[in-house]
Amino acid sequence: MEPQPLILVAGVLLLIGVLASKPSSRYGVPGLLLFLGLGMLAGSDGIGGIEFDDVELARSFGIVALAFILFSGGLGTKYVDIKRVLAPGLTLATVGVAVTALALGGLSSWLLDISLQEGFLLGAVVASTDAAAVFAILRSRGIAMEQRLGSMLELESGSNDPAAVFLTLAMIDVIEGDASAGSIVASFFLQMSIGLVAGYVLARAAIWVINRVALDFDGLYPVFTFAFVLIVLEGVSQLGGSGFLALYVAGVTLGSRNFVHKRSLIRFHDAVAWLMQIAMFVMLGLLVFPSDFPDVVLPALAVTALLMFVARPLAAFATLLPYRLPARQVAFVSWVGLRGATPIILATFPVAAGLDNSSVLFNVVFFVVLTSVLIQGTTIGTAAKWLKLGGDPPPPREISFDSVITGDDGPQLHEVTVPATAAATGRALLDLGLPAGVLVVLVRRGDHSFMPQGNTVLEVDDDVLIVAEQEHRPRLAELFDATLVPAEIDELDDLDDDHDDLDDDQRPEGTM
């Protein structure tokens, strides 16, 4: 077999990206900047000398990568967390995107000496945000955020990409003379409506199939959901809907319900999303030519300043103040409009379409994203502290499980961290009056796990694993002062006789 040096290069770049992500987040620099930098260093203008100029390939791969990223983001979002911020979050993700595009587009057309339509195209391309990077930075700096504010940013990050994609494609059609204002508005509502309904219906169908198909091999379940993402992306698009919105809605629907192997499938798609992000960022870094930057540095810096200090704040205050959010929270939202991979992916669309000035737009967008990440990405923690936005403390540790027995009906496995205020705290299990159909199977106290007896007294911060019939969930919620959500059992064979091998790395995010 002949040597394939590009395969080795790809593996090395992935490995460097993974290993460097730790110090990157520790010092407050988003991984996006690192991965793009790797691609630029490996490109034709860098030390790697790799020639890559296939814009169409980058665009096609970017669409698929964005689909998996949105789906994974939806899986990690619980509807119960975002339902109370649906109105402001969706307004920011739709009207806010339009306001950003219009405000930035009008000013950019003058700065870059391009047509007003091309300016609006630039505004549409950079209108979407990357709140996932924001949360990674906040977590790495140990900064808590008020839950309602965090949920709204989470909702915006998942739902504004479809709006930005739609506006970008619409502006390309306008420039090519294939669309009017009326047709754009009608198409927007049609695409979003179809995407919303299709995403929910297809997700419910997927849950039904997963819980009843009983595949012979556990490894086929990730293949099933992988295929599901591709089918939803293109199938909904063929129906005239937004495949990206459908995938985000499908992810939220799946993440908020119970199905077989839920935890392991969430982990699988989290890994796929990371792989897609690293590969996509490196590819986009290869696609850009840093030698072209000197010609666009000054106008790109001006566009970035307009985006950070004019367009984004205008969109945030115009859409959120009617919902009576505190001004300091709106100010924080306006500053954390961190740009990510989506604008760079969208910047390949005009290039692939062969529009005039498309190469200039691509370089400007690339430079705007780099500048936004470098400035906003490294000052988010400072902004949160300056605006005094301390909020909920980090969630307690959890034990991580996953199971083939988790379903929508019948007994469920629950996991609770005992708070100081719970009625069960300081009482023996026999004294709790647990009804038939409830079984406490495991307690973890500190670094030690054990099977409880009737005289076991529950202490503050104990992690308790409970199997219970659905009808007893309200009673358990009363005893443990918690809203119970079914846990998922992962790798039960790891629970050996001592039950001491459940380390912190096995614990999922959030509490049950």
Side-chain angles (χ1 to χ4, degrees), residues 316-360:
F317 279 90
T319 56
L320 297 181
L321 282 184
Y323 294 100
R324 299 181 179 179
L325 266 72
R328 58 191 178 88
Q329 291 190 6
V330 180
F332 184 71
V333 170
S334 69
W335 184 247
V336 300
L338 190 67
R339 268 51 199 175
T342 303
I344 303 178
I345 295 173
L346 295 183
T348 64
F349 287 24
V351 179
L355 298 185
D356 295 337
N357 295 320
S358 59
S359 60
V360 174

mmCIF file of all heavy atoms in Angstrom, residues 316-360:
data_model
loop_
_atom_site.group_PDB
_atom_site.id
_atom_site.type_symbol
_atom_site.label_atom_id
_atom_site.label_comp_id
_atom_site.label_asym_id
_atom_site.label_seq_id
_atom_site.Cartn_x
_atom_site.Cartn_y
_atom_site.Cartn_z
ATOM 1 N N ALA A 316 -29.877 43.553 20.254
ATOM 2 C CA ALA A 316 -30.181 43.046 21.595
ATOM 3 C C ALA A 316 -31.170 43.954 22.317
ATOM 4 O O ALA A 316 -32.172 43.487 22.881
ATOM 5 C CB ALA A 316 -28.891 42.909 22.410
ATOM 6 N N PHE A 317 -30.911 45.255 22.318
ATOM 7 C CA PHE A 317 -31.791 46.166 23.051
ATOM 8 C C PHE A 317 -33.146 46.306 22.365
ATOM 9 O O PHE A 317 -34.182 46.404 23.042
ATOM 10 C CB PHE A 317 -31.121 47.534 23.200
ATOM 11 C CG PHE A 317 -30.136 47.597 24.330
ATOM 12 C CD1 PHE A 317 -28.802 47.277 24.114
ATOM 13 C CD2 PHE A 317 -30.539 47.945 25.606
ATOM 14 C CE1 PHE A 317 -27.882 47.323 25.150
ATOM 15 C CE2 PHE A 317 -29.628 47.981 26.651
ATOM 16 C CZ PHE A 317 -28.296 47.670 26.428
ATOM 17 N N ALA A 318 -33.175 46.297 21.024
ATOM 18 C CA ALA A 318 -34.441 46.446 20.312
ATOM 19 C C ALA A 318 -35.357 45.243 20.517
ATOM 20 O O ALA A 318 -36.586 45.383 20.558
ATOM 21 C CB ALA A 318 -34.182 46.652 18.818
ATOM 22 N N THR A 319 -34.784 44.059 20.677
ATOM 23 C CA THR A 319 -35.605 42.849 20.786
ATOM 24 C C THR A 319 -35.874 42.427 22.227
ATOM 25 O O THR A 319 -36.886 41.770 22.494
ATOM 26 C CB THR A 319 -34.926 41.672 20.054
ATOM 27 O OG1 THR A 319 -33.600 41.476 20.576
ATOM 28 C CG2 THR A 319 -34.844 41.946 18.556
ATOM 29 N N LEU A 320 -35.011 42.789 23.169
ATOM 30 C CA LEU A 320 -35.139 42.276 24.535
ATOM 31 C C LEU A 320 -35.739 43.259 25.527
ATOM 32 O O LEU A 320 -36.369 42.845 26.503
ATOM 33 C CB LEU A 320 -33.773 41.811 25.048
ATOM 34 C CG LEU A 320 -33.140 40.639 24.287
ATOM 35 C CD1 LEU A 320 -31.806 40.277 24.915
ATOM 36 C CD2 LEU A 320 -34.067 39.425 24.260
ATOM 37 N N LEU A 321 -35.548 44.540 25.328
ATOM 38 C CA LEU A 321 -36.107 45.502 26.268
ATOM 39 C C LEU A 321 -37.629 45.419 26.379
ATOM 40 O O LEU A 321 -38.182 45.612 27.470
ATOM 41 C CB LEU A 321 -35.675 46.920 25.898
ATOM 42 C CG LEU A 321 -34.242 47.309 26.294
ATOM 43 C CD1 LEU A 321 -33.975 48.769 25.954
ATOM 44 C CD2 LEU A 321 -33.992 47.060 27.780
ATOM 45 N N PRO A 322 -38.360 45.137 25.267
ATOM 46 C CA PRO A 322 -39.812 44.977 25.422
ATOM 47 C C PRO A 322 -40.213 43.860 26.382
ATOM 48 O O PRO A 322 -41.340 43.854 26.883
ATOM 49 C CB PRO A 322 -40.277 44.671 23.992
ATOM 50 C CG PRO A 322 -39.263 45.325 23.120
ATOM 51 C CD PRO A 322 -37.969 45.143 23.853
ATOM 52 N N TYR A 323 -39.302 42.908 26.625
ATOM 53 C CA TYR A 323 -39.596 41.823 27.567
ATOM 54 C C TYR A 323 -39.162 42.172 28.989
ATOM 55 O O TYR A 323 -39.166 41.309 29.866
ATOM 56 C CB TYR A 323 -38.901 40.544 27.109
ATOM 57 C CG TYR A 323 -39.446 40.009 25.808
ATOM 58 C CD1 TYR A 323 -38.783 40.245 24.608
ATOM 59 C CD2 TYR A 323 -40.635 39.286 25.770
ATOM 60 C CE1 TYR A 323 -39.292 39.760 23.407
ATOM 61 C CE2 TYR A 323 -41.144 38.808 24.573
ATOM 62 C CZ TYR A 323 -40.467 39.049 23.388
ATOM 63 O OH TYR A 323 -40.971 38.575 22.206
ATOM 64 N N ARG A 324 -38.780 43.429 29.193
ATOM 65 C CA ARG A 324 -38.439 43.956 30.518
ATOM 66 C C ARG A 324 -37.279 43.217 31.173
ATOM 67 O O ARG A 324 -37.268 43.020 32.400
ATOM 68 C CB ARG A 324 -39.668 43.918 31.435
ATOM 69 C CG ARG A 324 -40.831 44.756 30.912
ATOM 70 C CD ARG A 324 -42.010 44.718 31.867
ATOM 71 N NE ARG A 324 -43.118 45.543 31.367
ATOM 72 C CZ ARG A 324 -44.281 45.683 31.994
ATOM 73 N NH1 ARG A 324 -44.492 45.047 33.143
ATOM 74 N NH2 ARG A 324 -45.233 46.432 31.477
ATOM 75 N N LEU A 325 -36.301 42.823 30.383
ATOM 76 C CA LEU A 325 -35.090 42.259 30.951
ATOM 77 C C LEU A 325 -34.252 43.392 31.533
ATOM 78 O O LEU A 325 -34.239 44.505 30.990
ATOM 79 C CB LEU A 325 -34.287 41.513 29.887
ATOM 80 C CG LEU A 325 -34.541 40.010 29.769
ATOM 81 C CD1 LEU A 325 -35.905 39.767 29.141
ATOM 82 C CD2 LEU A 325 -33.448 39.353 28.939
ATOM 83 N N PRO A 326 -33.543 43.151 32.619
ATOM 84 C CA PRO A 326 -32.669 44.184 33.184
ATOM 85 C C PRO A 326 -31.650 44.661 32.156
ATOM 86 O O PRO A 326 -31.138 43.867 31.356
ATOM 87 C CB PRO A 326 -31.991 43.474 34.359
ATOM 88 C CG PRO A 326 -32.922 42.359 34.727
ATOM 89 C CD PRO A 326 -33.553 41.931 33.434
ATOM 90 N N ALA A 327 -31.365 45.941 32.165
ATOM 91 C CA ALA A 327 -30.464 46.528 31.169
ATOM 92 C C ALA A 327 -29.084 45.879 31.203
ATOM 93 O O ALA A 327 -28.448 45.697 30.162
ATOM 94 C CB ALA A 327 -30.353 48.029 31.399
ATOM 95 N N ARG A 328 -28.603 45.503 32.399
ATOM 96 C CA ARG A 328 -27.267 44.899 32.474
ATOM 97 C C ARG A 328 -27.238 43.522 31.824
ATOM 98 O O ARG A 328 -26.218 43.116 31.262
ATOM 99 C CB ARG A 328 -26.790 44.827 33.924
ATOM 100 C CG ARG A 328 -27.680 44.046 34.862
ATOM 101 C CD ARG A 328 -27.293 44.255 36.321
ATOM 102 N NE ARG A 328 -28.170 43.542 37.226
ATOM 103 C CZ ARG A 328 -27.982 42.289 37.605
ATOM 104 N NH1 ARG A 328 -26.927 41.634 37.152
ATOM 105 N NH2 ARG A 328 -28.825 41.707 38.424
ATOM 106 N N GLN A 329 -28.365 42.777 31.896
ATOM 107 C CA GLN A 329 -28.424 41.499 31.212
ATOM 108 C C GLN A 329 -28.446 41.694 29.691
ATOM 109 O O GLN A 329 -27.787 40.959 28.950
ATOM 110 C CB GLN A 329 -29.652 40.707 31.660
ATOM 111 C CG GLN A 329 -29.586 40.210 33.085
ATOM 112 C CD GLN A 329 -30.692 39.235 33.419
ATOM 113 O OE1 GLN A 329 -31.469 38.835 32.558
ATOM 114 N NE2 GLN A 329 -30.786 38.843 34.683
ATOM 115 N N VAL A 330 -29.200 42.678 29.233
ATOM 116 C CA VAL A 330 -29.237 42.965 27.798
ATOM 117 C C VAL A 330 -27.862 43.409 27.312
ATOM 118 O O VAL A 330 -27.418 43.038 26.219
ATOM 119 C CB VAL A 330 -30.299 44.033 27.486
ATOM 120 C CG1 VAL A 330 -30.329 44.326 25.989
ATOM 121 C CG2 VAL A 330 -31.674 43.589 27.954
ATOM 122 N N ALA A 331 -27.172 44.204 28.131
ATOM 123 C CA ALA A 331 -25.822 44.641 27.778
ATOM 124 C C ALA A 331 -24.884 43.444 27.656
ATOM 125 O O ALA A 331 -24.050 43.377 26.740
ATOM 126 C CB ALA A 331 -25.300 45.625 28.819
ATOM 127 N N PHE A 332 -25.039 42.482 28.567
ATOM 128 C CA PHE A 332 -24.204 41.281 28.496
ATOM 129 C C PHE A 332 -24.506 40.480 27.231
ATOM 130 O O PHE A 332 -23.597 40.007 26.548
ATOM 131 C CB PHE A 332 -24.432 40.422 29.740
ATOM 132 C CG PHE A 332 -23.556 39.204 29.806
ATOM 133 C CD1 PHE A 332 -22.207 39.316 30.045
ATOM 134 C CD2 PHE A 332 -24.097 37.932 29.621
ATOM 135 C CE1 PHE A 332 -21.396 38.187 30.107
ATOM 136 C CE2 PHE A 332 -23.300 36.811 29.678
ATOM 137 C CZ PHE A 332 -21.938 36.939 29.923
ATOM 138 N N VAL A 333 -25.795 40.335 26.914
ATOM 139 C CA VAL A 333 -26.187 39.626 25.692
ATOM 140 C C VAL A 333 -25.584 40.306 24.466
ATOM 141 O O VAL A 333 -25.125 39.640 23.534
ATOM 142 C CB VAL A 333 -27.724 39.565 25.568
ATOM 143 C CG1 VAL A 333 -28.138 39.045 24.188
ATOM 144 C CG2 VAL A 333 -28.312 38.668 26.657
ATOM 145 N N SER A 334 -25.581 41.624 24.467
ATOM 146 C CA SER A 334 -25.034 42.341 23.316
ATOM 147 C C SER A 334 -23.529 42.123 23.179
ATOM 148 O O SER A 334 -22.998 42.107 22.064
ATOM 149 C CB SER A 334 -25.333 43.839 23.430
ATOM 150 O OG SER A 334 -24.593 44.425 24.491
ATOM 151 N N TRP A 335 -22.831 41.921 24.308
ATOM 152 C CA TRP A 335 -21.389 41.727 24.225
ATOM 153 C C TRP A 335 -21.016 40.284 23.902
ATOM 154 O O TRP A 335 -19.985 40.032 23.291
ATOM 155 C CB TRP A 335 -20.719 42.144 25.534
ATOM 156 C CG TRP A 335 -19.214 42.061 25.463
ATOM 157 C CD1 TRP A 335 -18.397 41.210 26.143
ATOM 158 C CD2 TRP A 335 -18.359 42.854 24.637
ATOM 159 N NE1 TRP A 335 -17.084 41.407 25.805
ATOM 160 C CE2 TRP A 335 -17.030 42.420 24.870
ATOM 161 C CE3 TRP A 335 -18.568 43.871 23.717
ATOM 162 C CZ2 TRP A 335 -15.933 42.980 24.229
ATOM 163 C CZ3 TRP A 335 -17.479 44.435 23.066
ATOM 164 C CH2 TRP A 335 -16.178 43.994 23.333
ATOM 165 N N VAL A 336 -21.844 39.329 24.299
ATOM 166 C CA VAL A 336 -21.486 37.929 24.065
ATOM 167 C C VAL A 336 -21.988 37.436 22.704
ATOM 168 O O VAL A 336 -22.157 36.244 22.513
ATOM 169 C CB VAL A 336 -22.031 36.995 25.173
ATOM 170 C CG1 VAL A 336 -21.471 37.380 26.508
ATOM 171 C CG2 VAL A 336 -23.550 37.006 25.198
ATOM 172 N N GLY A 337 -22.200 38.330 21.769
ATOM 173 C CA GLY A 337 -22.564 37.914 20.414
ATOM 174 C C GLY A 337 -21.351 37.386 19.682
ATOM 175 O O GLY A 337 -20.969 37.884 18.611
ATOM 176 N N LEU A 338 -20.740 36.383 20.272
ATOM 177 C CA LEU A 338 -19.497 35.820 19.737
ATOM 178 C C LEU A 338 -19.754 35.122 18.414
ATOM 179 O O LEU A 338 -20.651 34.290 18.297
ATOM 180 C CB LEU A 338 -18.909 34.831 20.747
ATOM 181 C CG LEU A 338 -17.514 34.304 20.486
ATOM 182 C CD1 LEU A 338 -16.494 35.416 20.605
ATOM 183 C CD2 LEU A 338 -17.183 33.203 21.491
ATOM 184 N N ARG A 339 -18.965 35.451 17.405
ATOM 185 C CA ARG A 339 -19.118 34.819 16.085
ATOM 186 C C ARG A 339 -18.304 33.538 16.043
ATOM 187 O O ARG A 339 -17.216 33.461 16.629
ATOM 188 C CB ARG A 339 -18.660 35.771 14.970
ATOM 189 C CG ARG A 339 -19.766 36.634 14.398
ATOM 190 C CD ARG A 339 -20.555 37.351 15.447
ATOM 191 N NE ARG A 339 -21.857 37.805 14.963
ATOM 192 C CZ ARG A 339 -22.765 38.370 15.722
ATOM 193 N NH1 ARG A 339 -22.550 38.548 16.997
ATOM 194 N NH2 ARG A 339 -23.919 38.750 15.215
ATOM 195 N N GLY A 340 -18.833 32.523 15.342
ATOM 196 C CA GLY A 340 -18.183 31.221 15.301
ATOM 197 C C GLY A 340 -18.041 30.680 13.898
ATOM 198 O O GLY A 340 -17.757 31.420 12.951
ATOM 199 N N ALA A 341 -18.281 29.385 13.757
ATOM 200 C CA ALA A 341 -18.047 28.716 12.483
ATOM 201 C C ALA A 341 -19.098 29.060 11.434
ATOM 202 O O ALA A 341 -18.795 29.141 10.248
ATOM 203 C CB ALA A 341 -18.025 27.203 12.694
ATOM 204 N N THR A 342 -20.352 29.272 11.872
ATOM 205 C CA THR A 342 -21.429 29.475 10.908
ATOM 206 C C THR A 342 -21.160 30.624 9.947
ATOM 207 O O THR A 342 -21.357 30.470 8.729
ATOM 208 C CB THR A 342 -22.774 29.694 11.640
ATOM 209 O OG1 THR A 342 -23.026 28.583 12.489
ATOM 210 C CG2 THR A 342 -23.906 29.829 10.640
ATOM 211 N N PRO A 343 -20.723 31.814 10.405
ATOM 212 C CA PRO A 343 -20.446 32.881 9.444
ATOM 213 C C PRO A 343 -19.409 32.504 8.393
ATOM 214 O O PRO A 343 -19.540 32.885 7.214
ATOM 215 C CB PRO A 343 -19.946 34.029 10.329
ATOM 216 C CG PRO A 343 -20.583 33.793 11.653
ATOM 217 C CD PRO A 343 -20.601 32.300 11.801
ATOM 218 N N ILE A 344 -18.383 31.763 8.803
ATOM 219 C CA ILE A 344 -17.357 31.394 7.823
ATOM 220 C C ILE A 344 -17.915 30.395 6.818
ATOM 221 O O ILE A 344 -17.611 30.454 5.617
ATOM 222 C CB ILE A 344 -16.110 30.817 8.531
ATOM 223 C CG1 ILE A 344 -15.561 31.820 9.543
ATOM 224 C CG2 ILE A 344 -15.023 30.485 7.518
ATOM 225 C CD1 ILE A 344 -14.367 31.319 10.328
ATOM 226 N N ILE A 345 -18.743 29.460 7.306
ATOM 227 C CA ILE A 345 -19.390 28.524 6.386
ATOM 228 C C ILE A 345 -20.283 29.284 5.402
ATOM 229 O O ILE A 345 -20.245 29.051 4.187
ATOM 230 C CB ILE A 345 -20.218 27.486 7.166
ATOM 231 C CG1 ILE A 345 -19.315 26.610 8.022
ATOM 232 C CG2 ILE A 345 -21.028 26.611 6.209
ATOM 233 C CD1 ILE A 345 -20.078 25.680 8.946
ATOM 234 N N LEU A 346 -21.079 30.206 5.934
ATOM 235 C CA LEU A 346 -21.986 30.962 5.074
ATOM 236 C C LEU A 346 -21.219 31.840 4.093
ATOM 237 O O LEU A 346 -21.718 32.144 3.004
ATOM 238 C CB LEU A 346 -22.921 31.815 5.923
ATOM 239 C CG LEU A 346 -23.901 31.059 6.825
ATOM 240 C CD1 LEU A 346 -24.811 32.026 7.562
ATOM 241 C CD2 LEU A 346 -24.745 30.092 5.999
ATOM 242 N N ALA A 347 -20.021 32.261 4.471
ATOM 243 C CA ALA A 347 -19.220 33.092 3.568
ATOM 244 C C ALA A 347 -18.774 32.326 2.329
ATOM 245 O O ALA A 347 -18.407 32.939 1.320
ATOM 246 C CB ALA A 347 -18.006 33.645 4.312
ATOM 247 N N THR A 348 -18.790 30.990 2.401
ATOM 248 C CA THR A 348 -18.435 30.202 1.213
ATOM 249 C C THR A 348 -19.587 30.157 0.205
ATOM 250 O O THR A 348 -19.363 29.845 -0.962
ATOM 251 C CB THR A 348 -18.053 28.762 1.603
ATOM 252 O OG1 THR A 348 -19.189 28.092 2.177
ATOM 253 C CG2 THR A 348 -16.912 28.752 2.609
ATOM 254 N N PHE A 349 -20.812 30.456 0.635
ATOM 255 C CA PHE A 349 -21.958 30.396 -0.268
ATOM 256 C C PHE A 349 -21.838 31.395 -1.421
ATOM 257 O O PHE A 349 -22.026 31.019 -2.590
ATOM 258 C CB PHE A 349 -23.260 30.635 0.509
ATOM 259 C CG PHE A 349 -23.691 29.477 1.379
ATOM 260 C CD1 PHE A 349 -22.776 28.535 1.838
ATOM 261 C CD2 PHE A 349 -25.010 29.323 1.754
ATOM 262 C CE1 PHE A 349 -23.158 27.483 2.648
ATOM 263 C CE2 PHE A 349 -25.416 28.278 2.561
ATOM 264 C CZ PHE A 349 -24.489 27.351 3.010
ATOM 265 N N PRO A 350 -21.551 32.688 -1.146
ATOM 266 C CA PRO A 350 -21.384 33.619 -2.268
ATOM 267 C C PRO A 350 -20.225 33.257 -3.192
ATOM 268 O O PRO A 350 -20.302 33.462 -4.409
ATOM 269 C CB PRO A 350 -21.138 34.966 -1.576
ATOM 270 C CG PRO A 350 -21.646 34.804 -0.191
ATOM 271 C CD PRO A 350 -21.451 33.365 0.152
ATOM 272 N N VAL A 351 -19.136 32.725 -2.606
ATOM 273 C CA VAL A 351 -17.995 32.321 -3.431
ATOM 274 C C VAL A 351 -18.399 31.183 -4.363
ATOM 275 O O VAL A 351 -18.095 31.194 -5.551
ATOM 276 C CB VAL A 351 -16.806 31.900 -2.543
ATOM 277 C CG1 VAL A 351 -15.634 31.447 -3.407
ATOM 278 C CG2 VAL A 351 -16.384 33.048 -1.631
ATOM 279 N N ALA A 352 -19.106 30.175 -3.802
ATOM 280 C CA ALA A 352 -19.558 29.049 -4.624
ATOM 281 C C ALA A 352 -20.548 29.499 -5.691
ATOM 282 O O ALA A 352 -20.610 28.919 -6.776
ATOM 283 C CB ALA A 352 -20.196 27.981 -3.734
ATOM 284 N N ALA A 353 -21.326 30.568 -5.391
ATOM 285 C CA ALA A 353 -22.295 31.078 -6.362
ATOM 286 C C ALA A 353 -21.641 31.964 -7.418
ATOM 287 O O ALA A 353 -22.299 32.356 -8.390
ATOM 288 C CB ALA A 353 -23.388 31.852 -5.648
ATOM 289 N N GLY A 354 -20.355 32.297 -7.237
ATOM 290 C CA GLY A 354 -19.647 33.101 -8.217
ATOM 291 C C GLY A 354 -20.037 34.564 -8.222
ATOM 292 O O GLY A 354 -19.929 35.236 -9.253
ATOM 293 N N LEU A 355 -20.470 35.104 -7.077
ATOM 294 C CA LEU A 355 -20.876 36.512 -7.019
ATOM 295 C C LEU A 355 -19.658 37.432 -7.067
ATOM 296 O O LEU A 355 -18.558 37.071 -6.628
ATOM 297 C CB LEU A 355 -21.662 36.780 -5.733
ATOM 298 C CG LEU A 355 -22.976 36.020 -5.539
ATOM 299 C CD1 LEU A 355 -23.659 36.507 -4.264
ATOM 300 C CD2 LEU A 355 -23.890 36.189 -6.732
ATOM 301 N N ASP A 356 -19.866 38.637 -7.586
ATOM 302 C CA ASP A 356 -18.814 39.640 -7.579
ATOM 303 C C ASP A 356 -18.475 40.010 -6.143
ATOM 304 O O ASP A 356 -19.353 40.068 -5.267
ATOM 305 C CB ASP A 356 -19.257 40.896 -8.340
ATOM 306 C CG ASP A 356 -19.478 40.617 -9.827
ATOM 307 O OD1 ASP A 356 -18.895 39.639 -10.333
ATOM 308 O OD2 ASP A 356 -20.242 41.382 -10.464
ATOM 309 N N ASN A 357 -17.202 40.288 -5.898
ATOM 310 C CA ASN A 357 -16.713 40.691 -4.575
ATOM 311 C C ASN A 357 -16.859 39.592 -3.522
ATOM 312 O O ASN A 357 -16.696 39.856 -2.326
ATOM 313 C CB ASN A 357 -17.439 41.947 -4.075
ATOM 314 C CG ASN A 357 -17.162 43.164 -4.931
ATOM 315 O OD1 ASN A 357 -16.037 43.369 -5.369
ATOM 316 N ND2 ASN A 357 -18.182 43.971 -5.174
ATOM 317 N N SER A 358 -17.175 38.362 -3.939
ATOM 318 C CA SER A 358 -17.371 37.282 -2.968
ATOM 319 C C SER A 358 -16.074 36.945 -2.226
ATOM 320 O O SER A 358 -16.108 36.621 -1.028
ATOM 321 C CB SER A 358 -17.921 36.035 -3.659
ATOM 322 O OG SER A 358 -17.038 35.588 -4.679
ATOM 323 N N SER A 359 -14.932 37.018 -2.904
ATOM 324 C CA SER A 359 -13.665 36.717 -2.239
ATOM 325 C C SER A 359 -13.339 37.775 -1.191
ATOM 326 O O SER A 359 -12.808 37.464 -0.117
ATOM 327 C CB SER A 359 -12.533 36.619 -3.256
ATOM 328 O OG SER A 359 -12.383 37.837 -3.965
ATOM 329 N N VAL A 360 -13.685 39.035 -1.499
ATOM 330 C CA VAL A 360 -13.475 40.101 -0.516
ATOM 331 C C VAL A 360 -14.363 39.880 0.701
ATOM 332 O O VAL A 360 -13.916 39.999 1.851
ATOM 333 C CB VAL A 360 -13.774 41.481 -1.148
ATOM 334 C CG1 VAL A 360 -13.697 42.574 -0.078
ATOM 335 C CG2 VAL A 360 -12.804 41.772 -2.277
#
